[in-house]
Amino acid sequence: MDIAEVAKRSGVPASTLRFYEEKGLINSVGRQGLRRVFGANILERLALIALGRVAGFSLDEIAQMVGASGSPNIDRELLVKKADELDSTIQKLIAMRDGLRHAAVCSAPSHMECPKFRRLLGLAASGAIKNEVSEQLPKNRRSND
Amino acid sequence: MDIAEVAKRSGVPASTLRFYEEKGLINSVGRQGLRRVFGANILERLALIALGRVAGFSLDEIAQMVGASGSPNIDRELLVKKADELDSTIQKLIAMRDGLRHAAVCSAPSHMECPKFRRLLGLAASGAIKNEVSEQLPKNRRSND
DNA sequence: GTACTACTTCAAGTCGACTTGAGGTCAAGA
DNA sequence: TCTTGACCTCAAGTCGACTTGAAGTAGTAC
């Protein structure tokens, strides 16, 4: 497969594939002239990378886990840790969602006068929600536009 | 309150407070010489901003909602929309968390040979999880270090 | 044999939310 | 009075994950 084929099949832009290769996240099986040639397992590898990104790993972390070569040392402890982090993120987002949903239908003249909203505000202010959440997820990626 | 006081009470660094003021997210009630003087409601305002950030609003969006002045036009429709977005984010994170958690205890010799892990991989590859999630949350903020 | 197109490299730019640094001002304490 | 230290402004830097652009090359179609 050439880079365009991989891009098409995976939805990952060619520029990103080159970038990933440079970072050591993927590699091509060889070249045809100048052009990279990728093996079939590249798609799986890209899926693995996508998975890692969604789970909140940075590209560097992912590179460490999957190495430059195969699909080896995914540290099980690390997985548990990430799962736990995700869990606490989820809890916070649930609190947020419920708060937003209530605020949307709340009959108080202004949100500031709604006790539920104020409680939510308190949560945010106290930092109960604040950090961690933002540290959890990868940066903004706009859908391959 | 001077800026240091606000910083201490809110946990928001002074540099960030200046930045927020510049952006029109907050304003001081006046000056004492050069120094900004903030009213008591600044803390509530900052909480509101923190809340917005956690909910996935950008600073610009927040600025629009809270205006430069008081706590006015928080658009209820927008709240519902954000709540829905949060909800779908939550669903995806839950899938991720469960997948990670399983992978951590899975007895398959390599993750690649575990059917559950491969299913998760498939999800990530298909884009079922992929985007939106990353577009949901604000950028990385390192806990005021 | 030449035009075309899809690839290549490498450097630089982008985005959002801040932080950092240089250089300046001002009120209070020794 | 002089120094200290907390504040000020404004410009520039940072971070991660890419994208974009310029300039070059190589395989294919005519």
Side-chain angles (χ1 to χ4, degrees):
Chain A
M1 282 193 287
D2 70 344
I3 205 171
E5 178 76 10
V6 176
K8 210 181 81 188
R9 291 219 215 172
S10 66
V12 178
S15 66
T16 304
L17 293 172
R18 293 194 198 96
F19 174 70
Y20 279 1
E21 190 186 41
E22 193 183 346
K23 275 232 145 193
L25 284 161
I26 59 175
N27 32 30
S28 45
V29 297
R31 295 279 176 131
Q32 232 174 20
L34 276 185
R35 316 186 164 197
R36 289 165 181 80
V37 179
F38 293 97
N41 65 344
I42 184 70
L43 295 175
E44 195 162 66
R45 218 174 151 67
L46 286 171
L48 192 56
I49 292 170
L51 190 62
R53 302 266 305 114
V54 176
F57 295 98
S58 71
L59 290 187
D60 287 347
E61 285 176 311
I62 295 172
Q64 287 209 335
M65 294 197 316
V66 302
S69 46
S71 64
N73 49 358
I74 296 178
D75 177 356
R76 285 166 197 267
E77 260 188 65
L78 193 53
L79 291 185
V80 174
K81 194 167 152 268
K82 279 289 172 180
D84 289 348
E85 287 177 14
L86 267 185
D87 218 9
S88 100
T89 299
I90 289 166
Q91 297 313 313
K92 287 162 193 175
L93 291 186
I94 286 175
M96 274 300 315
R97 180 203 55 191
D98 294 345
L100 286 183
R101 208 151 262 166
H102 172 78
V105 301
C106 178
S107 59
S110 134
H111 295 303
M112 281 310 183
E113 287 157 56
C114 165
K116 279 207 182 185
F117 190 77
R118 294 190 67 87
R119 199 167 339 130
L120 189 60
L121 219 51
L123 271 179
S126 71
I129 290 181
K130 222 166 96 178
N131 297 129
E132 300 180 57
V133 176
S134 340
E135 304 200 339
Q136 191 58 229
L137 279 260
K139 306 296 180 50
N140 254 338
R141 272 236 51 228
R142 42 195 71 207
S143 30
N144 331 309
D145 40 9
Chain B
M1 282 192 288
D2 70 344
I3 204 171
E5 179 76 9
V6 176
K8 210 181 81 188
R9 291 220 215 173
S10 66
V12 178
S15 64
T16 304
L17 293 172
R18 294 194 199 96
F19 174 69
Y20 279 1
E21 190 187 41
E22 193 183 346
K23 275 232 144 193
L25 285 160
I26 60 176
N27 34 29
S28 46
V29 298
R31 296 277 178 133
Q32 233 175 19
L34 276 184
R35 317 189 161 196
R36 289 164 181 81
V37 179
F38 293 97
N41 66 345
I42 184 69
L43 295 175
E44 195 164 65
R45 220 174 150 65
L46 286 171
L48 191 55
I49 292 170
L51 190 62
R53 303 263 306 112
V54 175
F57 295 98
S58 71
L59 291 186
D60 286 347
E61 285 176 311
I62 295 172
Q64 287 209 335
M65 295 197 317
V66 301
S69 47
S71 63
N73 49 357
I74 296 179
D75 176 356
R76 285 166 197 265
E77 258 189 67
L78 194 52
L79 291 184
V80 175
K81 194 167 151 265
K82 279 286 173 185
D84 289 347
E85 286 178 14
L86 266 185
D87 217 8
S88 99
T89 300
I90 290 166
Q91 296 314 312
K92 287 163 192 176
L93 292 185
I94 286 176
M96 273 303 314
R97 180 203 57 193
D98 294 344
L100 286 182
R101 207 151 262 165
H102 172 77
V105 301
C106 177
S107 59
S110 138
H111 295 304
M112 280 311 180
E113 286 156 56
C114 165
K116 279 206 183 185
F117 190 75
R118 295 189 64 88
R119 196 163 345 127
L120 189 60
L121 218 51
L123 272 178
S126 72
I129 290 180
K130 222 167 95 180
N131 297 127
E132 298 180 60
V133 176
S134 340
E135 303 200 341
Q136 190 60 227
L137 281 262
K139 305 297 181 48
N140 255 337
R141 272 236 49 229
R142 41 197 70 208
S143 31
N144 330 313
D145 37 11

